Amino acid sequence: MKVLVTGGAGYIGSHVVRLLQQRGDQVLVLDDMSAGVPARIGDAVAHHLDLAAPGAHDALVSILRNDVDAVIHLAARKKVGESVELPEWYYAQNVGGLATLLSAMRDTSVNRLVFSSSAATYGMPDVPAVTEDTPCAPINPYGETKLVGEWMVADAARAWGLRAANLRYFNVAGAGWPDLADTAVANLIPIVFAALKANTVPIVFGNDYPTPDGSCVRDYVHVLDLADAHLSALSYLDREDRPHSTFNVGTGTGSSVFEVLAEVARVTGVDFTPDIQDRRAGDPPYLAADVTRIRETLGWSATKTLHDIVDSAWSAIQ
Ligand SMILES: NC(=O)c1ccc[n+]([C@@H]2O[C@H](COP(=O)([O-])OP(=O)(O)OC[C@H]3O[C@@H](n4cnc5c(N)ncnc54)[C@H](O)[C@@H]3O)[C@@H](O)[C@H]2O)c1
């Protein structure tokens, strides 16, 4: 099959591209390279395009006319703090970019879409594990753009028969291949590695949460497992019975910040005592996935452990 991967030069997108190529699919990559790394995509056909720029619709139409069967849409701005500072730009980029993509897909009758959504759509849930039916209440513009994106996808399904799956990723980490490592120092594991490499002490924000060890609990999913979930979602879109369109992608097991730090110490061999600081605003105590739906409907489950995640991420930056 021929698949267009938007954001394919990014951290997660490049893993999706490589898995598709390994199973023999033809892959086209679309990326504006604002955060993408050209070397990650090797010899895949690459289109350098900002989805939110004027003229993107027509450029997309001509790309999709190359017999594209399906689109995996990962291209988005994803910095929560930046989205609070620049909400209009985040809406223009993430919502505007998706609107342009959907319009071009409709105009070319490309009717299969896997959309990168996020656990940020849930906001501050007060349950240890969220199901897809847990009410969404995002607390920042980034999460809002993802929720609006899901609504747009649902509207396109109703209006013109788009077949779509929204994947709500939890905390993505690790590396499937060393050359595809996460180069942004934005999530816990890369931040801790950066601190250790700089001979500083990692910071823990809050040790008095109502969790077993007092630190926040998150669901860390290996990027290779996550990439594989996109392949399962593509197969699902071919089915006539599709009872659901939104799926949590996580392991179903939460790990606390202290558990992650202990794994980092084991993997790196560096003995450190973190600096405990006050809680940050907007951090829920728990954010972990109930993964029943994706397991039962797509037949997908995560296979990798927290150790695999930390170990692969550390090896990739040596
Ligand atoms: N990394 C995570 O933990 C996480 C969690 C939940 C959801 N997501 C979502 O997964 C997707 C991929 O995330 P990632 O971690 O690989 O980020 P990334 O920044 O590495 O990848 C995003 C890619 O999209 C490209 N891009 C951004 N805006 C674009 C635009 N307007 N037009 C064309 N290309 C554009 C960037 O250049 C980059 O290569 C995003 O949609 C993100 O919101 C990521």
Side-chain angles (χ1 to χ4, degrees):
M1 105 188 273
K2 196 182 244 188
V3 185
L4 174 66
V5 182
T6 76
Y11 164 54
I12 300 168
S14 58
H15 283 85
V16 173
V17 168
R18 199 163 288 179
L19 281 192
L20 288 168
Q21 287 177 325
Q22 283 191 344
R23 74 171 193 181
D25 286 0
Q26 280 182 274
V27 184
L28 308 180
V29 170
L30 183 156
D31 202 296
D32 69 354
M33 297 298 171
S34 54
V37 179
R40 283 181 177 146
I41 55 172
D43 57 3
V45 176
H47 297 275
H48 192 143
L49 178 70
D50 174 359
L51 275 177
H57 172 273
D58 291 353
L60 262 170
V61 164
S62 48
I63 295 167
L64 292 169
R65 284 214 173 109
N66 294 309
D67 298 322
V68 169
D69 300 298
V71 178
I72 300 181
H73 178 51
L74 300 108
R77 312 295 169 189
K78 62 162 193 178
K79 295 180 185 157
V80 169
E82 188 181 52
S83 80
V84 174
E85 297 294 320
L86 301 171
E88 307 82 3
W89 188 66
Y90 263 70
Y91 273 85
Q93 287 288 316
N94 293 0
V95 176
L98 176 58
T100 302
L101 175 65
L102 290 172
S103 152
M105 290 176 70
R106 182 177 189 161
D107 291 347
T108 52
S109 302
V110 176
N111 71 345
R112 284 165 170 72
L113 176 71
V114 180
F115 172 57
S116 290
S117 188
S118 169
T121 52
Y122 293 112
M124 302 266 290
D126 60 359
V127 289
V130 289
T131 72
E132 292 81 354
D133 296 325
T134 301
C136 288
I139 56 164
N140 51 61
Y142 167 70
E144 289 163 1
T145 64
K146 291 294 179 182
L147 186 56
V148 172
E150 291 186 9
W151 294 341
M152 292 164 66
V153 164
D155 288 338
R158 275 187 289 272
W160 54 273
L162 176 72
R163 292 169 171 248
N166 305 307
L167 301 183
R168 288 184 182 154
Y169 311 164
F170 280 67
N171 289 56
V172 189
W177 294 270
D179 56 322
L180 305 187
D182 187 3
T183 49
V185 182
N187 295 325
L188 176 65
I189 293 168
I191 288 173
V192 172
F193 286 163
L196 296 184
K197 287 207 159 213
N199 283 322
T200 56
V201 175
I203 298 169
V204 174
F205 293 99
N207 65 350
D208 56 355
Y209 284 96
T211 57
D213 66 17
S215 65
C216 289
V217 171
R218 298 290 179 269
D219 190 331
Y220 295 89
V221 58
H222 195 293
V223 65
L224 202 51
D225 278 335
L226 172 68
D228 182 55
H230 293 73
L231 275 52
S232 300
L234 276 182
S235 307
Y236 176 70
L237 297 184
D238 281 333
R239 279 170 40 180
E240 282 317 310
D241 67 312
R242 294 188 311 284
H244 303 292
S245 56
T246 300
F247 301 92
N248 287 339
V249 192
T251 61
T253 306
S255 302
S256 73
V257 173
F258 287 129
E259 286 171 334
V260 172
L261 295 187
E263 192 56 53
V264 168
R266 270 192 290 277
V267 165
T268 62
V270 180
D271 190 19
F272 58 87
T273 305
D275 175 13
I276 311 294
Q277 296 196 4
D278 289 343
R279 295 180 181 192
R280 287 183 308 194
D283 274 341
Y286 286 96
L287 190 52
D290 181 307
V291 291
T292 309
R293 180 182 286 181
I294 192 166
R295 187 180 63 241
E296 291 184 352
T297 316
L298 300 194
W300 177 91
S301 297
T303 60
K304 297 192 183 297
T305 63
L306 181 63
H307 172 77
D308 298 330
I309 290 172
V310 174
D311 191 44
S312 64
W314 180 246
S315 303
I317 59 168
Q318 298 315 301

